[in-house]
Amino acid sequence: MVVDGDTVAWIGSEGAADSFASGVDEVMDLAGALVTPAFTDAHVHTTATGLALTGLDLSTARTLAEALSRTSEYAAAHPGRSVLLGHGWDEARWPEQRPPSRAELDAAAGGRPVYLTRADVHSAVVSTALRKQVPDAAGLTGYHPDGPLTRDAHHAVRRAAHAAVTPGEREAAQLAALRHAVSLGIGALHECAGPDISSEDDLTALLRLAGGRPGPRVFGYWAEAATKAGDLDRVRALGAIGAGGDLFVDGSIGSRTACLHHPYADAPHTGIAYLDAAAVADHVAVCTEAGMQAGFHAIGDGAVASVAEGVRKAAERVGPARVRALRHRVEHAEMLTPATIAAFAEFGLVASVQPAFDAVWGGVDGMYAQRLGDERARTLNPYAAMVRAGVPLALGSDSPVTPLDPWGTVRAAAFHRTPAHRISVRAAFTAHTRGGWRAVGRDDGGVLVPGAPADYVLWRAGELVVQAPDDRVANWSTDPRSGTPGLPDLTPGLALPTALRTVVAGHTVYERPNE
């Protein structure tokens, strides 16, 4: 491979490459390393990821008592922090099967302001001291005097908690996240920002930081619903490429705020709908007429159906071809039916999905089964049906909901807990490389061909194989006559590839030490 500036200039056989050797500035012998396109994580919250990397991480707490102990230790170690921020608790995985109470949190933190988000970031437990800083929260929807806050009450308290993060702390968190990403072979991130998830200053600071230094590319989205063309001026002014990302149609399954057609198995309600089909239609139509990509956060089957109905109504207004051309997005899209899968394919909707959700919460004993019951839980994240229907996939992590982990994400899609939903490693890898570029409207990236952006990674990997969910496909594909290129063996239990060098736009942005 020959790279000229920020572009792949040539790819061919080793023998033909000899003719270029005398005319290039540097010849790199890969010593057996695997070269692939860099990964693109299609759904990230960068500052929150950095804060989780550098702050109080409760994602590995095995019990409620351990989570409280970690909170107490963190508070003691950071006496100068005006608000203690933490992330990742998940009561569904604890033997106590409940979140921390307000009194327990007050005791653990010594009465200081504390904001701890659940793993899905759609609810949070908050100490008394922080609640007092937002007295109006008690009158907002989603307020609970002792338990986790959701909906508007959660958003109000989150704004207060994040306002305590200084610009210096924010930049340090963003840098930590960007450096961690390239160390994993991630060359681009889609930042899903919005007024209910972060702030304007957070997004503009991130785009400015990423644009001013070598590192992963950052494509920003701003999640604010539009009803008229002027509403999109803010999106453009912020430097975002689309009016989407976490534009909430519903919440999450773990917090019981995903919008369902039928009640939860463990709660007598169907969740929350933030936007209906009419609002979806308005947003998609306005964005389409302005030539801007739209997008929505939709998880439950009720929310996904509202998106499908709304996009159809928008297509009736502005024309289906114009809708398809913009590649509007749906984030998460976990509970789909044959009808909604068909609608995604019909209107060219990109499904921005997170296979690690299934790895963490799927299975007969997982959170999905607790919240929805076994039968509905087995229908979630039907990647194989989506691929068969022609729905374009873009893979991501929703970090810090699940960690940045590209090969782990590919593994989770290929070894889905429900065998019928598995896709081949090759299909998942493509969705996590080229799929992320196509999701931002570019067809030239995520591949290594002449003219493509020079975003690539060198890996230390084991044997290269072809893995597919159907043994008949795998058997033929691994036959040398098929010519199918192999990828690392991602069988669960085996070590994942290690990034040795990450290159973005022709610049080395990460080198593994002592390699």
Side-chain angles (χ1 to χ4, degrees):
M1 182 168 71
V2 175
V3 173
D4 184 7
D6 61 358
T7 304
V8 176
W10 177 88
I11 276 192
S13 68
E14 183 174 356
D18 290 342
S19 63
F20 289 94
S22 62
V24 299
D25 297 323
E26 178 187 7
V27 176
M28 185 187 306
D29 184 344
L30 302 186
L34 171 68
V35 185
T36 73
F39 285 102
T40 294
D41 192 308
H43 192 119
V44 176
H45 304 287
T46 307
T47 303
T49 296
L51 291 172
L53 288 169
T54 60
L56 175 55
D57 180 8
L58 300 176
S59 63
T60 57
R62 294 163 293 182
T63 66
L64 169 60
E66 183 179 345
L68 291 170
S69 176
R70 289 191 189 184
T71 301
S72 183
E73 292 170 359
Y74 186 81
H78 298 83
R81 293 279 170 86
S82 57
V83 176
L84 301 174
L85 303 176
H87 168 73
W89 59 268
D90 186 352
E91 83 290 357
R93 301 167 66 182
W94 293 343
E96 298 92 345
Q97 289 288 297
R98 67 173 181 85
S101 69
R102 178 153 60 113
E104 289 170 331
L105 197 57
D106 289 346
R112 294 170 62 186
V114 183
Y115 172 77
L116 304 180
T117 49
R118 193 182 183 279
D120 55 23
V121 200
H122 284 268
S123 59
V125 289
V126 180
S127 69
T128 300
L130 183 57
R131 289 175 189 242
K132 288 181 177 178
Q133 295 183 18
V134 193
D136 294 342
L140 299 176
T141 57
Y143 181 81
H144 191 287
D146 187 55
L149 305 183
T150 62
R151 304 182 67 178
D152 293 342
H154 176 215
H155 298 160
V157 173
R158 173 164 51 199
R159 283 191 288 271
H162 286 180
V165 178
T166 68
E169 291 170 341
R170 178 176 63 205
E171 180 172 314
Q174 292 173 343
L175 281 171
L178 297 177
R179 289 168 179 159
H180 185 56
V182 292
S183 76
L184 298 170
I186 297 171
L189 306 172
H190 297 181
E191 166 67 17
C192 293
D196 290 330
I197 197 74
S198 54
S199 70
E200 294 181 10
D201 289 344
D202 185 82
L203 175 60
T204 55
L206 173 63
L207 296 178
R208 187 166 56 248
L209 179 67
R213 62 184 300 278
R217 304 173 191 262
V218 177
F219 299 96
Y221 286 87
W222 184 251
E224 198 161 359
T227 58
K228 58 185 183 302
D231 294 339
L232 299 178
D233 292 344
R234 184 197 305 270
V235 179
R236 297 187 184 93
L238 294 174
I241 64 169
D246 276 326
L247 179 51
F248 296 124
V249 179
D250 68 346
S252 73
I253 294 169
S255 290
R256 301 183 185 88
T257 52
C259 181
L260 310 180
H261 283 312
H262 304 288
Y264 284 85
D266 60 355
H269 61 79
T270 58
I272 297 167
Y274 294 108
L275 298 176
D276 59 15
V280 170
D282 288 342
H283 185 68
V284 172
V286 168
C287 288
T288 301
E289 289 179 327
M292 179 176 286
Q293 188 182 35
F296 304 92
H297 162 120
I299 286 179
D301 51 1
V304 174
S306 291
V307 170
E309 180 185 351
V311 172
R312 187 174 298 280
K313 290 179 180 294
E316 292 170 356
R317 291 190 215 171
V318 301
R322 295 178 69 189
V323 168
R324 283 193 291 269
L326 269 297
R327 303 180 186 180
H328 301 305
R329 298 172 54 142
V330 183
E331 310 298 320
H332 316 308
E334 293 197 75
M335 296 182 69
L336 292 99
T337 64
T340 50
I341 290 173
F344 274 47
E346 179 181 359
F347 296 111
L349 299 179
V350 175
S352 170
V353 298
Q354 296 75 40
F357 288 6
D358 174 73
V360 175
W361 296 310
V364 295
D365 297 323
M367 181 271 290
Y368 288 154
Q370 293 176 27
R371 296 288 187 269
L372 303 172
D374 292 344
E375 185 176 349
R376 275 190 297 180
R378 285 194 295 269
T379 69
L380 265 62
N381 303 302
Y383 304 136
M386 297 164 81
V387 169
R388 285 195 298 270
V391 176
L393 300 183
L395 270 54
S397 63
D398 198 9
S399 180
V401 175
T402 59
L404 299 172
D405 181 14
W407 284 113
T409 296
V410 173
R411 171 186 278 171
F415 293 91
H416 196 295
R417 288 177 178 271
T418 303
H421 300 332
R422 293 174 179 172
I423 58 177
S424 70
V425 168
R426 171 65 58 180
F429 175 80
T430 300
H432 211 350
T433 50
R434 191 174 191 186
W437 282 84
R438 292 178 63 82
V440 296
R442 291 185 57 174
D443 296 333
D444 60 334
V447 290
L448 297 180
V449 298
D455 293 15
Y456 60 93
V457 187
L458 312 186
W459 303 95
R460 181 168 59 233
E463 181 183 5
L464 303 185
V465 299
V466 174
Q467 291 176 298
D470 189 318
D471 287 342
R472 293 169 298 176
V473 174
N475 289 340
W476 165 244
S477 297
T478 53
D479 188 301
R481 293 171 295 174
S482 72
T484 303
L487 284 168
D489 188 344
L490 300 186
T491 301
L494 296 182
L496 294 172
T498 300
L500 303 177
R501 178 182 296 206
T502 302
V503 177
V504 175
H507 297 283
T508 296
V509 295
Y510 170 77
E511 284 189 277
R512 184 173 174 82
N514 304 318
E515 293 285 352

